[in-house]
Amino acid sequence: MEKRRLGKSGLMVNPVGLGCMGFTHAYGAPVEHTAAARTIREAIDSGYDFIDTAECYIGTNPDGSTAWNETIVGEAVKGIRDRVIIATKCGVHHNPDTTLRLDSRPETIRTSVEGSLKRLGIDCIDLYYQHRVDPNVDPETVAGTMADLIAEGKIRFWGISEVGEEYLRRANAVCPVTAIQQRYSMMARWHEAILPVCDELDIAFVAHSPMANGFLTGTYKPGMTYREAGDYRAAMPQYSPEGYEKAKALLDLLSAMVIDKGATMSQLSLAWLLAQSPRVIPIPGSRRIERLRENFAAAEISFTADELARIRTLLEGADFAVFGGHAQAK
């Protein structure tokens, strides 16, 4: 398995990273702390070496306490810190109605980084993202703050999530950006135009929600509902009769390729992303270790040029605009 480089940092990671959000946030009640940490540790033992979390990936435990995703990740990497690259994020807070409150003021970033270091139980964060662009703070100000944190040894490198070209260029001119993290899947391709910019500036493209929040696993069927409190899928447009019908041709194609390629739909979805650019590093997540191992093995799957062209033709003719709304905010 050939590793991929995290932009100009020189850090090398396996092609598929581990997104940890789902253990505590957006998919129903949090997984019990010890069990979640054990699953992450088993995933690392299976080959994952790029671990993604965020300060806002929180939930509420049965006893009313806060389930901190970063704390679980910190527990999982105890004693094996040198085996993993840890990424976390600042600047976003989730409101009760699932909207986002953005705050990237320097003082807020500094408070956040101290909290993340404490919860993770580490002395330096490998990759620290601005989780969303704050319209009230200039990119130069954010980049300057990140440069200071790098000089102080609190973070090694920094990145930006859900960023446009102009903001990225302005921030990168002040403090070189190592990675951007964008929503990217077969059903969410609106960020592809920034890939050439990543090539030019030597920046990694980390793909979050690479299976459209689980939709491309093929497990969803019309009529299924997600009613557990805190499960954001209930409001996601792909998990609706209309969304299913719009995606049915893609699901049918992937289902047929499962037989031809000897792979699962999840693996095909991830392998397709990996085939788009050597800069792309998807970070799927799951609460189940067997699914995490399955996802990791996607790096061993390849497509012929004809297969990629066939998929691209279908995607170019599809109408997935319904999947671009706030309901998919991460």
Side-chain angles (χ1 to χ4, degrees):
M1 185 177 292
E2 187 174 350
K3 288 182 177 285
R4 297 198 166 193
R5 182 167 56 86
L6 277 172
K8 57 181 70 71
S9 74
L11 298 176
M12 303 298 292
V13 296
N14 283 321
V16 179
L18 175 59
C20 294
M21 179 184 74
F23 287 104
T24 57
H25 181 76
Y27 290 90
V31 178
E32 189 276 326
H33 179 100
T34 301
R38 182 171 58 249
T39 299
I40 295 171
R41 183 63 168 257
E42 289 177 355
I44 295 169
D45 290 340
S46 298
Y48 284 94
D49 58 7
F50 183 33
I51 313 299
D52 184 271
T53 182
E55 69 168 341
C56 71
Y57 293 165
I58 61 175
T60 303
N61 291 314
D63 64 0
S65 62
T66 298
W68 290 96
N69 201 276
E70 289 177 320
T71 303
I72 291 170
V73 170
E75 179 68 25
V77 303
K78 279 184 180 178
I80 57 168
R81 174 67 180 93
D82 59 339
R83 290 170 50 188
V84 295
I85 302 300
I86 297 176
T88 191
K89 313 177 193 73
C90 66
V92 161
H93 301 276
H94 288 272
N95 297 318
D97 63 355
T98 77
T99 58
L100 306 180
R101 178 166 57 87
L102 309 179
D103 186 352
S104 288
R105 292 173 297 168
E107 58 269 31
T108 302
I109 293 175
R110 285 193 164 275
T111 298
S112 293
V113 77
E114 295 297 340
S116 291
L117 287 168
K118 182 177 181 180
R119 286 186 291 272
L120 288 164
I122 59 178
D123 55 13
C124 182
I125 295 164
D126 296 310
L127 178 58
Y128 197 48
Y129 291 103
Q130 180 189 15
H131 203 158
R132 286 291 187 277
V133 169
D134 182 346
N136 297 313
V137 182
D138 291 336
E140 292 82 3
T141 300
V142 175
T145 304
M146 295 297 186
D148 291 341
L149 293 176
I150 291 171
E152 294 164 19
K154 295 184 185 298
I155 67 175
R156 296 176 68 188
F157 304 100
W158 83 290
I160 313 170
S161 182
E162 297 297 321
V163 64
E165 180 179 349
E166 179 186 0
Y167 189 99
L168 176 59
R169 288 187 182 277
R170 288 173 60 183
N172 186 72
V174 174
C175 182
V177 175
T178 288
I180 61 173
Q181 185 176 133
Q182 315 280 81
R183 176 178 293 276
Y184 189 28
S185 71
M186 288 182 175
M187 294 167 61
R189 297 170 41 245
W190 44 85
H191 289 301
E192 284 184 330
I194 208 168
L195 274 168
V197 180
C198 291
D199 289 335
E200 175 192 340
L201 301 179
D202 193 12
I203 294 172
F205 185 114
V206 177
H208 77 74
S209 310
M211 290 179 284
N213 300 97
F215 184 81
L216 289 173
T217 63
T219 56
Y220 172 78
K221 297 293 184 291
M224 291 177 61
T225 57
Y226 298 94
R227 297 178 179 176
E228 185 177 350
D231 194 329
Y232 285 22
R233 286 174 293 184
M236 291 180 181
Q238 65 268 46
Y239 290 105
S240 68
E242 178 192 10
Y244 183 85
E245 285 304 312
K246 285 182 176 291
K248 191 174 187 306
L250 174 58
L251 296 176
D252 288 345
L253 174 61
L254 291 175
S255 181
M257 293 184 76
V258 162
I259 299 172
D260 295 338
K261 307 293 288 186
T264 66
M265 290 177 65
S266 300
Q267 290 173 329
L268 292 173
S269 300
L270 294 170
W272 180 85
L273 285 172
L274 292 170
Q276 303 312 299
S277 167
R279 295 196 179 275
V280 173
I281 303 168
I283 50 168
S286 177
R287 297 180 170 197
R288 298 164 50 196
I289 186 58
E290 60 270 23
R291 184 58 61 88
L292 292 176
R293 290 174 177 145
E294 173 189 316
N295 291 343
F296 189 75
E300 305 291 349
I301 298 167
S302 60
F303 292 97
T304 66
D306 286 346
E307 288 170 335
L308 289 173
R310 183 179 166 200
I311 294 171
R312 178 64 62 168
T313 297
L314 187 151
L315 296 180
E316 294 292 350
D319 175 17
F320 292 144
V322 68
F323 306 120
H326 169 73
Q328 291 206 54
K330 167 180 172 287

